[in-house]
Amino acid sequence: MNSLTSRVFLMACDVDGKGLTNKRDLGLVLRGAVLTELAMAGLLADSAGKAAAVGADLPADLVLADALVEVRESPVRWKKLARSHGRETYVWVRDSLIELGVIRVGSRQVLGVVPVERVTAVDPAAVRALQEHVASIVRSTVPVREIAREDAALVGLADAGNLLSKSIAAGELRKHRSRVRALAELGGPAVLAASAAVEHKRRVRLAAGNSG
């Protein structure tokens, strides 16, 4: 529940029960959170712009372990890692939070025909508190270097997934843009890679739309 990955997922939950914000990019953001957790645990490190495994230990968590195995043989560029397994990561985090009783998953119909997954938080107040906590970090005058790395990563990943809009108006967020970027950098290379992966995916969608 208190892992970085879980907190990122909850940031996407709508407190009014309207489902997830920007779900189509959430898997890549969660993938960035997984890689960041590995880095913060000392199991993944930056080596000349690539992610490299540190030591021989594997985490007990299977998704974290699988991500680490990907770089066990040789370092892999952060951007390449961040662009892969987004869907699988989303499903794993979703199912874990269902099992913990943190979220519920139902369905609704679009146009009265197409069933669509609907995710809601069991405790909307906890989600609201998390969103307000993240907003307070963005608004704070505390120097970025004094912010906990996990909190900095949470802000950076939430920004990558366009989730800060849940608690900060667009105009205000623009005023804090340089601080948000600095927080993302403090969060580490996986945060920056996740942001780049999401941006790449958005450009591909835009290009596909324009070509039609």
Side-chain angles (χ1 to χ4, degrees), residues 21-30 160-162 198 201-202 205:
T21 298
N22 198 22
K23 179 183 174 183
R24 60 185 176 180
D25 293 328
L26 186 55
L28 292 178
V29 178
L30 292 170
N162 196 28
V198 172
K201 186 178 178 182
R202 289 172 181 163
R205 286 199 302 263

Side-chain angles (χ1 to χ4, degrees), residues 138 168-181:
V138 173
I168 305 177
E172 182 183 5
L173 186 56
R174 282 194 295 271
K175 295 178 182 178
H176 296 297
R177 179 50 54 193
S178 61
R179 179 175 175 85
V180 171
R181 281 196 295 266

Side-chain angles (χ1 to χ4, degrees), residues 2 67 145:
N2 291 322
R145 64 180 180 276

Side-chain angles (χ1 to χ4, degrees), residues 63-104:
V63 172
L64 295 180
D66 285 348
L68 192 58
V69 166
E70 291 180 55
V71 299
R72 181 66 74 188
E73 295 297 326
S74 62
V76 179
R77 292 197 176 279
W78 290 101
K79 287 183 180 180
K80 181 177 180 180
L81 274 181
R83 288 182 184 181
S84 62
H85 304 297
R87 174 60 185 171
E88 295 90 334
T89 304
Y90 168 81
V91 171
W92 167 74
V93 179
R94 180 201 64 191
D95 291 353
S96 297
L97 293 178
I98 292 172
E99 187 174 345
L100 290 169
V102 176
I103 62 172
R104 299 188 188 95

Side-chain angles (χ1 to χ4, degrees), residues 66-199:
D66 285 348
L68 192 58
V69 166
E70 291 180 55
V71 299
R72 181 66 74 188
E73 295 297 326
S74 62
V76 179
R77 292 197 176 279
W78 290 101
K79 287 183 180 180
K80 181 177 180 180
L81 274 181
R83 288 182 184 181
S84 62
H85 304 297
R87 174 60 185 171
E88 295 90 334
T89 304
Y90 168 81
V91 171
W92 167 74
V93 179
R94 180 201 64 191
D95 291 353
S96 297
L97 293 178
I98 292 172
E99 187 174 345
L100 290 169
V102 176
I103 62 172
R104 299 188 188 95
V105 177
S107 64
R108 60 185 176 87
Q109 290 187 329
V110 175
L111 302 177
V113 178
V114 182
V116 176
E117 177 182 85
R118 183 170 188 171
V119 177
T120 56
V122 172
D123 186 357
V127 173
R128 186 177 292 106
L130 175 62
Q131 293 171 351
E132 291 174 353
H133 169 69
V134 170
S136 72
I137 297 170
V138 173
R139 295 176 175 132
S140 175
T141 58
V142 174
V144 168
R145 64 180 180 276
E146 296 179 17
I147 301 296
R149 184 181 175 187
E150 183 170 343
D151 277 342
L154 180 58
V155 171
L157 291 165
D159 183 53
N162 196 28
L163 306 178
L164 292 179
S165 60
K166 307 290 291 184
S167 52
I168 305 177
E172 182 183 5
L173 186 56
R174 282 194 295 271
K175 295 178 182 178
H176 296 297
R177 179 50 54 193
S178 61
R179 179 175 175 85
V180 171
R181 281 196 295 266
L183 288 165
E185 291 174 2
L186 177 60
V191 176
L192 299 178
S195 180
V198 172
E199 183 58 33

